[in-house]
Structures are given as structure tokens and as C-alpha cells.
Amino acid sequence: MCIDSDASSGVMTTWKITFDYLASEHPKSVALFKMMVYLSPVQIPAHIFHAQIPSEPENELITIAKRDLPPLLFDKLDVQEALGTLTAFSFLSYSSDEQHFDIHRLVRLAMLVELGYTGEAQPFTQISLVLALASPEPELSNVMECSKLYPHIEELLSPSNMAGAKEPVSRSLRLNLLLRSMIYLRLHGRTNEALQLAGRIYEEKKTLLEGACSHVTSQFNVRLLHAASMVCNDLEEYGPAKEMGELENKMLENAYGETDPRTLQSLNHLAWIETLPEGDHQKAKYIFEEVIRLTEIPRLRTISIEAKRGLAVLLRDMKQLLQAFQVMLEAVEATGETYGEQSVEFAVGLADLADLQWRDETNQKMEAGANRARALPILLKHLGPDHPKVLRTTYKVAGFIIHFDHLQLDYADHLFRNLVQTPAALILQSDMDPIEMLDGLATVL
């Protein structure tokens, strides 16, 4: 115990001497390090510190970034020099791929203690801006990119860092990053975590509003309502999903009109909610068909595709399987033309189409197997191996091989072994039966 205490004390003393020297001789390096310590201490991507501020459109985030970010972040050479100095003095170390950095836990702790002692809030605001600029709006097509930044956003937004969010601007940025995290978690199939985050966002938003903060905009409220409603929809919580979805739709309709794309997209979402077991299925069918009628023009094609997918799912649940198959086929063909046949949207559509083809009523099991096999590598590339959609498709591809393609049993063996090694929580989250997976592996062997 003493040895550990003495070692820690020695590290802290050395850190203080080195820090004072760097603050005097290399102030840019210290400014950068003060921001970095709010992130997760491992696998910090270097590229996020090369601030890229788009010239258009000018919005609140860009205005704040231009005002509050230090000049060094706009100069790639300055950033590289600062990172090099911090590495040379062992404040940072390169990760194995040399594209990321790690921070020694005691050095990080010392810097956080120093920031807490001085009450300096600016580094928290600055790193919040850096992450807000670096992280894309979460979509299926960039889930992998979001997954690399999420641990750092999660650490920044941890309760222990709440003290850093003293200014209204910092707290507004915090809310926006929380919302992005919530959307990412939902897209990654982690709906229970997303729901917990939704509750946290509502509480923090309430605090901001009580403090008369002007940074919580109506646009943020619409996005929050949409995201929270989608999460409740995924969890089949009909009442909350419908309440929030209707409020979102009303706000958009009042702001933009009934036929604006944003309003139609919201209407689409309302129809999806009505497909839940407690919903009004006839109402859902009417809305989907109306949205399809209003969006059969090129610039609204993405909305039309989503409506057709929803209608196909609804028809499937209403046991109208042949009609469901035809509508889903139209949606998948349109998706390939719109997004490209290597897009994650197309792969998701193929997997959904295969589920319909597998049914006895459609009797297209060979086509289903081919479509799943085609979709799997695309899903894996865009979503990663732990995504529920990837795990389910992997399981179905392996099952198809067992029944219909004995020449690829080695591949089925490989797929089943990967599934068996997947953490149990992910398997359950993917609605798969672990016993059936083991049975599948046993069958291959």
C-alpha cells in the first residue's frame, strides 16, 4: 500500500514540475491537454483536434466554435507540434495504430484536480465544441464512426464532469451531445440505454429552461421528441411513443405546413407507431398509403421508401404476406437505386425482404438465403460485428447453410463459433436463442 502511495506521489510531483515547465515554454500543448483530459483516457483519435468548421450553413454551433475555440485548433501544424510535445514529455503515448493517443491515468487525474482547483471552465466548453464538430449526426451509414467517438462523449458527459459545465453554452452543448448519444445508442440496438439517456436529457433540459437558457431551441425539442418517441416505439411502449410522436408532428406542421418533407417524415413515424400491437392498424395503413402518394417524386423518394417499408411490415403483421412481399420488393429496389447497392440501407432492406421470402406463403427460401448472404458483409462493414442486425443475419445465414448448402459447412461452423463467443447480453438483445445457436454449432460438427 505504501509503495503504491509513494509511487503515486512521485508521479504527481514529477507531473507538477513538468506541467509548470510546459505552461511556461509550450502553452499551446498545455491548452490542448486541458481539453483532452475530459475524454476517455484510451484511444483518443488525433484527427478530432484539427477543427474543420464548414462555411455553410452558419448556425449556433459554428458561431460559438468560431468564438470560443483556441486558434491552435485551426492550424494543423500547431496541433501536430502540441501533440508531439505532450508525447515527448510522456503526458500522452501513441496507441498501437499511431492514429490515437492514450493518457496515463495519474497524469490525467492530476490535470483534472488542477482544473477543479482553479475553477477553469473554458477547456470543458472547448472540448465539447471539438466533439460536437467531429461527431456526425448519427445515422445507420455512420454507426461505426459514431462508435469510435461514443466512449469519449460518454466520458465527457459523465456526472463527474458535470462541474465543468458551468456556463449556459457548455450545458447547451452537453444537451446536444447527449441527444446524439441517445440516437446513436438506438441505432446500435441499445434501446434500454437510449431510454435511460432520454430521461436524463429531459431532466437536464428542465434545469436549463428554469435557468432561462436561450440555447435550448424548438429544433432541439423536435429532435428530442422524435428520438425519444422512436426509442419507445422500439420498446413497444405505445402510449408514450404516440404522445411524443403526435406532439412532434403538430410542432412541425405548425412550423412548416402539412406537405413539408419534415412533416411528412414525422407522419411516417406516426404510422410506424400505429403498427405496434396496441395501435390502430387501419389508421397506419391509411397514413402509409397517403405518404406514399404524396412522396412519389424524386426529391422525396427517401420518405416514400420508408413508408413502403412500414406498409410492408404492417401487411406482414396483418397476415397479407404476398402483398407485403411485393411492397417490400418495391422498397428494396428503390433503395438500391437511391442509396446504392453497397449501402447499409440497401442491406437492411435485403435482410427484411429475405425474412418475407423465408415464409411458407412466399416459398422463396433459396432467394432468402442468397439475399441474406449478400446483405451480411455490407451490414458487417457499416454496423460492426456486435450490432443486433448483424448478429441476427449471421445466425440466419448459418442456419440456411445447414439446411440447404452443405458445401459451405466450414463457413457455417465459422459463423456459429463467432456467435457462441458473443457476450450473452448482446445475444439476448438481438432476440436470439443461445440454446438454438449451440444446437446449430453441434449440427455442423
Side-chain angles (χ1 to χ4, degrees):
M1 193 76 175
C2 271
I3 294 175
D4 288 346
S5 177
D6 290 344
S8 297
S9 177
V11 170
M12 298 290 272
T13 301
T14 303
W15 173 83
K16 181 60 177 169
I17 294 170
T18 309
F19 176 78
D20 290 342
Y21 170 77
L22 287 176
S24 171
E25 300 298 323
H26 302 279
K28 291 179 181 179
S29 298
V30 170
L32 187 61
F33 190 68
K34 285 179 178 178
M35 290 183 266
M36 296 179 79
V37 294
Y38 285 108
L39 306 177
S40 172
V42 296
Q43 288 288 300
I44 300 172
H47 73 84
I48 67 173
F49 297 104
H50 305 146
Q52 300 289 326
I53 298 183
S55 56
E56 297 290 341
E58 183 75 26
N59 57 33
E60 184 184 46
L61 173 63
I62 292 172
T63 301
I64 297 171
K66 288 178 178 177
R67 184 190 71 202
D68 291 351
L69 284 181
L72 87 94
L73 294 182
F74 299 102
D75 189 318
K76 192 171 183 177
L77 291 177
D78 276 355
V79 171
Q80 289 175 340
E81 183 179 340
L83 289 171
T85 300
L86 291 169
T87 305
F89 282 85
S90 300
F91 276 45
L92 303 177
S93 59
Y94 278 110
S95 297
S96 56
D97 62 4
E98 297 192 356
Q99 301 297 317
H100 299 77
F101 291 93
D102 298 338
I103 306 177
H104 190 285
R105 61 181 182 84
L106 287 177
V107 171
R108 178 173 178 265
L109 176 62
M111 187 73 260
L112 287 169
V113 169
E114 179 79 8
L115 287 168
Y117 178 75
T118 60
E120 192 175 352
Q122 193 177 31
F124 183 92
T125 302
Q126 291 171 340
I127 194 60
S128 299
L129 283 165
V130 166
L131 281 178
L133 288 169
S135 59
E137 284 295 327
E139 297 174 353
L140 268 181
S141 58
N142 58 33
V143 162
M144 289 289 283
E145 186 179 352
C146 291
S147 69
K148 295 174 184 176
L149 290 175
Y150 176 71
H152 301 292
I153 295 175
E154 185 179 35
E155 179 62 31
L156 177 73
L157 302 176
S158 65
S160 61
N161 279 336
M162 185 60 185
K166 297 177 180 178
E167 304 169 358
V169 169
S170 295
R171 298 176 75 181
S172 175
L173 286 167
R174 181 183 176 89
L175 271 180
N176 277 282
L177 287 169
L178 278 168
L179 178 57
R180 290 190 189 190
S181 298
M182 175 188 164
I183 298 170
Y184 159 71
L185 288 170
R186 177 189 168 263
L187 289 172
H188 205 270
R190 296 158 65 177
T191 45
N192 286 310
E193 292 175 73
L195 186 63
Q196 291 175 3
L197 208 51
R200 185 174 159 193
I201 294 170
Y202 274 107
E203 285 301 313
E204 295 203 16
K205 185 169 77 77
K206 181 181 175 183
T207 304
L208 274 178
L209 291 173
E210 288 172 351
C213 175
S214 63
H215 297 286
V216 181
T217 63
S218 58
Q219 184 182 16
F220 176 87
N221 288 329
V222 168
R223 291 180 65 218
L224 177 56
L225 281 168
H226 178 76
S229 179
M230 293 285 279
V231 170
C232 290
N233 185 52
D234 292 345
L235 294 170
E236 296 193 355
E237 295 187 5
Y238 174 71
K242 181 178 180 180
E243 182 181 352
M244 289 184 284
E246 287 178 341
L247 183 54
E248 176 210 359
N249 183 255
K250 184 177 180 180
M251 291 174 70
L252 288 170
E253 187 177 312
N254 289 340
Y256 305 110
E258 292 182 0
T259 57
D260 183 86
R262 288 160 288 197
T263 308
L264 292 172
Q265 188 71 282
S266 173
L267 197 60
N268 225 0
H269 173 51
L270 275 179
W272 273 99
I273 294 169
E274 294 298 344
T275 66
L276 292 176
E278 296 176 55
D280 185 337
H281 290 186
Q282 290 301 323
K283 180 180 179 181
K285 187 171 183 289
Y286 171 78
I287 294 174
F288 279 135
E289 289 173 345
E290 187 66 7
V291 170
I292 291 169
R293 183 183 68 80
L294 292 170
T295 56
E296 286 290 8
I297 54 176
R299 69 183 183 88
L300 300 179
R301 201 172 194 188
T302 56
I303 302 174
S304 175
I305 290 169
E306 189 64 17
K308 286 179 179 178
R309 288 188 65 246
L311 180 58
V313 170
L314 178 64
L315 291 169
R316 178 202 67 193
D317 294 342
M318 295 171 71
K319 310 301 181 185
Q320 299 176 29
L321 293 172
L322 293 179
Q323 287 179 263
F325 167 73
Q326 190 57 46
V327 174
M328 184 66 79
L329 181 61
E330 290 176 14
V332 171
E333 289 173 348
T335 302
E337 294 170 4
T338 304
Y339 294 97
E341 294 191 359
Q342 291 301 309
S343 67
V344 66
E345 292 84 359
F346 181 69
V348 168
L350 276 180
D352 290 342
L353 180 65
D355 288 343
L356 287 170
Q357 290 173 317
W358 190 260
R359 299 290 189 103
D360 290 336
E361 291 83 351
T362 47
N363 194 27
Q364 295 186 24
K365 288 183 168 54
M366 298 304 292
E367 292 85 349
N371 280 332
R372 285 170 179 159
R374 184 181 177 189
L376 182 56
I378 304 173
L379 292 171
L380 192 59
K381 175 184 175 182
H382 289 285
L383 303 179
D386 296 335
H387 194 281
K389 192 77 176 177
V390 174
L391 293 172
R392 284 194 294 269
T393 305
T394 300
Y395 175 64
K396 290 172 180 177
V397 168
F400 172 81
I401 291 172
I402 287 176
H403 290 98
F404 296 101
D405 193 358
H406 292 173
L407 293 177
Q408 293 197 67
L409 284 178
D410 285 346
Y411 182 46
D413 176 68
H414 167 74
L415 294 178
F416 273 124
R417 287 182 186 278
N418 284 346
L419 287 171
V420 168
Q421 293 171 9
T422 302
L426 292 176
I427 294 295
L428 295 174
Q429 182 179 293
S430 304
D431 296 324
M432 292 189 297
D433 187 338
I435 303 301
E436 287 186 8
M437 284 196 324
L438 289 172
D439 286 344
L441 180 58
T443 301
V444 173
L445 295 175

